[in-house]
Amino acid sequence: MVIRERIAKLRQLMKEHGIDAYIIPSSDPHQSEYVGEHFRCRQWISGFTGSAGTVVVTLDKAGLWTDGRYFIQAERQLKGSGIELFRMGELGVPSYSEWIKDELKGEACLGFDGKVFSISQVRKMKNIIGNKISFEDRYDLINELWEDRPGLPSDPIFIHDIEFAGKDRGRKIREVQQGMKKYGASHYLLTSLDDIAWLFNIRGNDIPSNPVVLSYAVISEEKAYLFIDKNKVGADASNEFESSGIEIMDYDDIDKFLKGLKKGDKILIDPDKTSIWLYNAIDRDIEKREKLNITTMMKAIKNDIEIKNLKKCYIKDCVALVKFIYWLKKNVGHEHITEISATEKLEDFRREQEYFMQPSFDTIAAYKDHAAMMHYKATSDSDCELEREGFLLVDSGGQYLDGTTDITRTIVLGDVSDEAKRDFTLVLKGHIALSTIKFLYGITGSNLDVLARRPIWEYGMDYKCGTGHGVGFCLNVHEGPQRISPAPNNIRLEKGMILTNEPGIYKEGKYGIRTENDLLVVEDEVTEFGKFMRFETISYCPIDIEGIDASMLTEDEKTWLNDYHRKVYELLSPYLDEEERKWLEDQTREI
């Protein structure tokens, strides 16, 4: 088997370098969640294609650590590879650092590529593993083995116009420089690609579905430096940068620049986003101040123009989705439709919409039991024909110049069991509970997560992922720092933040159900007890009433659903033809 052969060759290389265990993460030098083909080292060595996971190879064992979204997928893809699956978060399952500590004895050496490990990750490993084991971070061993490794992307960047962005790059940079003063920093190192794209109002095509460009940035008290492949910067972009006082430097010169900082300089870095390689490039005499990226909170709170654009964006995106669902329900069982062809058809409808660029992530079109894998992606081997029965889960989104969308609908194609209807309704109840909450300012997503889970917990079920994540603006579909999850989070929900609301139930061998909308955090009222906030739903697409057991809904829940569907029809019907409008009128009828 190819994977076994690759691991054998890696072990031989490890012996040559005196390395007893080697770690291959999923990240790139910018700690990106999704990475370009050049950086898919973990996928290459393991065969596991999920977006999250870490492989550890010792001289006689190998393991993959991933989270609950990928348990079923990883188990299937690792079969026969000799790699053991470690289900993160389950009782008794060690972290990869704990496992390494138990496996390596004596004066062993742990190796990894320091360019793709953050400062925080390395510190955490050292705290767990201890000082007896030495760390070697100089070698990218996969690069020595991967003979046909794809090169770095070379597509040109483009300027994200202020009519969409709402704020020019000069103003953003000045606000960053003001933030630097609060921390007493003379320089600010920025390595995360979405932060850089947002700050400089640029977009690229270096990572599929994520319109970012491989780059680094340093902001000083006087100017800004952008480290990028200069061949990607056309004349128009170059002129804009020059007029904004931005100096363009070679992508590969970032470490040289950092090594050239002078004694007395104070540099601000985010230890969760900055690689240990760049940290080590900064002289020990340079004072390093560690904080969450200034741009992260700035980017997370959308400005008025971004919000206005995004609301318009969601109308056209949901028009595309409604046209797709109408087409699907009309034609399934009458013509050959598969998971893959349905995915392509949905993208065709999105391509008809103004400012559409590309999907915001790989569409999940999962039929029946395939949907039990949260991040399933149909392949030529797994693709199956849709029939007039069961559920089709479609989790999809688009990248538009005027916004990024993310929405999931579980579509009833025909007969479903009473159990399936019950679970569909439980997911809806959780979705409504979160959509309608009024909360005191200062609350975090961790405080609200239980609302979406409560109806599901009452039946002894759960979903092994968070309930919601932030969403970028013509940027990454997953954006921090806000999230709705059981995991502790100290980020307050602020006016202007966008979060998804996506509870679900996933049963192996049966089905997967998820209902997802995007929510905007808005102010509600101020009383003697403080300021209260609420969510405004900004994505409007019918929730399939054929899957609902109405007897399980309270009167308040029915009112929410009927009001929601009334607005769906009001917003979308003007963009539909007569047949589509009649169908939508039926799909949004009161229950």
Side-chain angles (χ1 to χ4, degrees):
M1 183 178 179
V2 173
I3 298 302
R4 286 184 176 272
E5 292 175 0
R6 290 174 179 173
I7 291 174
K9 291 179 180 178
L10 174 59
R11 285 178 173 139
Q12 182 57 44
L13 206 54
M14 288 163 57
K15 291 177 183 178
E16 294 174 11
H17 287 86
I19 293 172
D20 299 286
Y22 192 76
I23 311 176
I24 308 100
S26 302
S27 56
D28 62 11
H30 307 274
Q31 297 302 306
S32 305
E33 178 185 10
Y34 298 103
V35 300
E37 291 185 2
H38 178 82
F39 296 107
R40 293 177 186 172
C41 297
R42 189 228 61 226
Q43 179 175 320
W44 184 84
I45 196 65
S46 68
F48 169 60
T49 59
S51 66
T54 301
V55 168
V56 180
V57 178
T58 69
L59 297 178
D60 59 356
K61 294 181 182 180
L64 168 78
W65 281 256
T66 193
D67 61 55
R69 296 172 295 169
Y70 296 110
F71 289 166
I72 300 172
Q73 176 183 342
E75 186 173 9
R76 294 179 182 180
Q77 292 183 327
L78 294 180
K79 191 174 182 179
S81 67
I83 301 173
E84 182 181 357
L85 173 61
F86 289 86
R87 294 173 170 81
M88 292 167 56
E90 291 199 343
L91 290 175
V93 176
S95 67
Y96 67 81
S97 296
E98 292 168 335
W99 186 80
I100 290 169
K101 180 180 180 180
D102 291 339
E103 288 294 320
L104 298 188
K105 307 298 180 184
E107 297 180 358
C109 178
L110 173 62
F112 53 88
D113 177 7
K115 289 187 176 182
V116 295
F117 266 86
S118 72
I119 301 164
S120 297
Q121 287 173 315
V122 174
R123 287 173 179 167
K124 185 177 180 180
M125 282 196 297
K126 287 186 175 180
N127 286 337
I128 294 172
I129 295 172
N131 298 321
K132 289 185 178 180
I133 297 172
S134 62
F135 283 50
E136 176 54 79
D137 62 10
R138 293 177 297 168
Y139 302 120
D140 179 0
L141 297 186
I142 301 302
N143 190 58
E144 298 184 39
L145 299 173
W146 194 350
E147 294 180 357
D148 57 347
R149 184 173 186 175
L152 294 176
S154 57
D155 290 0
I157 66 170
F158 66 92
I159 299 298
H160 194 219
D161 197 273
I162 193 169
E163 72 172 288
F164 305 117
K167 189 184 292 187
D168 67 69
R169 68 183 63 84
R171 180 179 169 187
K172 291 179 180 179
I173 290 170
R174 289 191 296 274
E175 289 176 359
V176 166
Q177 289 168 330
Q178 288 297 315
M180 290 166 54
K181 290 181 180 178
K182 294 180 183 178
Y183 301 117
S186 61
H187 293 78
Y188 170 40
L189 171 62
L190 197 53
T191 67
S192 44
L193 302 183
D194 58 333
D195 285 278
I196 295 170
W198 177 87
L199 179 61
F200 290 90
N201 283 352
I202 58 174
R203 299 296 187 266
N205 195 37
D206 286 359
I207 298 178
S209 300
N210 296 261
V212 296
V213 57
L214 293 177
S215 52
Y216 297 99
V218 175
I219 312 300
S220 74
E221 295 169 298
E222 297 84 22
K223 65 185 304 183
Y225 303 86
L226 179 63
F227 297 80
I228 189 172
D229 179 350
K230 292 182 178 180
N231 293 321
K232 297 179 179 181
V233 183
D236 290 344
S238 181
N239 290 337
E240 288 215 21
F241 292 145
E242 185 176 350
S243 64
S244 301
I246 297 166
E247 184 171 345
I248 303 300
M249 305 188 75
D250 286 325
Y251 176 72
D252 292 327
D253 285 345
I254 180 63
D255 59 327
K256 297 177 185 176
F257 184 93
L258 294 176
K259 288 175 181 176
L261 292 176
K262 302 294 190 294
K263 188 174 181 179
D265 287 338
K266 299 177 179 64
I267 188 166
L268 184 65
I269 57 176
D270 185 338
D272 292 332
K273 295 295 185 179
T274 306
S275 71
I276 195 69
W277 167 65
L278 288 181
Y279 183 84
N280 291 335
I282 304 170
D283 192 277
R284 292 183 179 181
D285 290 335
I286 304 299
E287 186 177 341
K288 307 174 186 70
R289 302 191 172 180
E290 301 181 5
K291 296 288 181 181
L292 175 74
N293 274 329
I294 298 171
T295 48
T296 298
M297 281 299 293
M298 293 171 62
K299 172 168 55 66
I301 300 173
K302 310 308 180 202
N303 62 54
D304 290 344
I305 293 176
E306 288 175 317
I307 291 170
K308 182 179 179 181
N309 280 323
L310 187 55
K311 288 181 177 181
K312 291 180 180 178
C313 180
Y314 249 114
I315 290 175
K316 62 188 175 186
D317 191 70
C318 288
V319 165
L321 188 53
V322 162
K323 285 177 174 288
F324 165 75
I325 298 172
Y326 168 72
W327 166 85
L328 179 66
K329 291 209 173 199
K330 180 181 178 181
N331 293 291
V332 70
H334 300 296
E335 63 179 79
H336 183 71
I337 302 174
T338 70
E339 293 168 324
I340 290 178
S341 67
T343 297
E344 293 169 346
K345 188 69 173 180
L346 175 54
E347 186 171 334
D348 287 342
F349 283 118
R350 280 198 166 101
R351 288 195 181 281
E352 295 174 357
Q353 308 305 315
E354 185 180 26
Y355 300 138
F356 178 79
M357 296 160 56
Q358 60 181 324
S360 56
F361 54 95
D362 288 339
T363 296
I364 301 168
Y367 187 45
K368 291 185 175 179
D369 62 314
H370 285 172
M373 294 179 280
M374 295 184 199
H375 281 212
Y376 169 81
K377 181 183 178 183
T379 65
S380 57
D381 293 331
S382 69
D383 190 27
C384 62
E385 184 174 3
L386 310 183
E387 301 172 349
R388 299 192 72 84
E389 64 177 13
F391 290 137
L392 174 69
L393 186 154
V394 180
D395 185 354
S396 66
Q399 293 287 7
Y400 301 81
L401 289 175
D402 54 353
T404 298
T405 65
D406 182 7
I407 187 168
T408 305
R409 286 298 181 265
T410 304
I411 304 164
V412 181
L413 297 184
D415 292 339
V416 294
S417 67
D418 290 343
E419 177 190 6
K421 273 196 170 186
R422 180 203 68 187
D423 291 349
F424 186 101
T425 310
L426 291 174
V427 170
L428 175 59
K429 288 172 74 71
H431 181 91
I432 294 173
L434 185 57
S435 298
T436 56
I437 185 64
K438 177 178 180 177
F439 56 93
L440 189 66
Y441 176 72
I443 289 295
T444 75
S446 302
N447 302 132
L448 300 181
D449 180 83
V450 66
L451 295 170
R453 293 179 195 270
R454 181 178 175 180
I456 297 168
W457 282 356
E458 287 179 353
Y459 282 77
M461 295 181 287
D462 189 32
Y463 47 96
K464 302 299 183 183
C465 61
T467 299
H469 56 81
V471 181
F473 184 89
C474 190
L475 275 176
N476 297 357
V477 73
H478 291 166
E479 178 177 276
Q482 75 276 21
R483 65 177 184 269
I484 301 174
S485 167
N489 183 298
N490 60 2
I491 301 298
R492 293 179 300 193
L493 299 183
E494 302 281 357
K495 176 185 175 182
M497 284 183 170
I498 304 289
L499 295 111
T500 62
N501 173 7
E502 48 182 312
I505 292 176
Y506 310 91
K507 291 186 173 178
E508 187 171 2
K510 291 185 176 181
Y511 48 74
I513 299 165
R514 180 160 64 251
T515 298
E516 176 188 17
N517 281 332
D518 277 16
L519 307 175
L520 170 67
V521 180
V522 298
E523 294 178 347
D524 188 84
E525 66 172 342
V526 178
T527 74
E528 61 185 298
F529 299 99
K531 181 166 68 173
F532 285 84
M533 315 292 285
R534 60 181 173 84
F535 292 122
E536 177 188 339
T537 299
I538 60 173
S539 41
Y540 285 93
C541 181
I543 297 168
D544 202 327
I545 56 179
E546 300 302 324
I548 299 172
D549 179 352
S551 68
M552 295 176 62
L553 298 179
T554 66
E555 289 305 312
D556 284 345
E557 289 168 339
K558 290 178 184 178
T559 297
W560 180 91
L561 182 63
N562 290 334
D563 288 346
Y564 175 78
H565 275 159
R566 194 175 298 113
K567 190 160 186 180
V568 167
Y569 185 80
E570 174 190 325
L571 290 173
L572 305 188
S573 59
Y575 304 95
L576 305 176
D577 64 32
E578 185 176 353
E579 284 190 11
E580 292 165 338
R581 281 197 299 272
K582 288 180 179 178
W583 173 84
L584 182 61
E585 186 176 15
D586 178 67
Q587 293 295 301
T588 57
R589 66 187 184 272
E590 287 197 358
I591 63 168

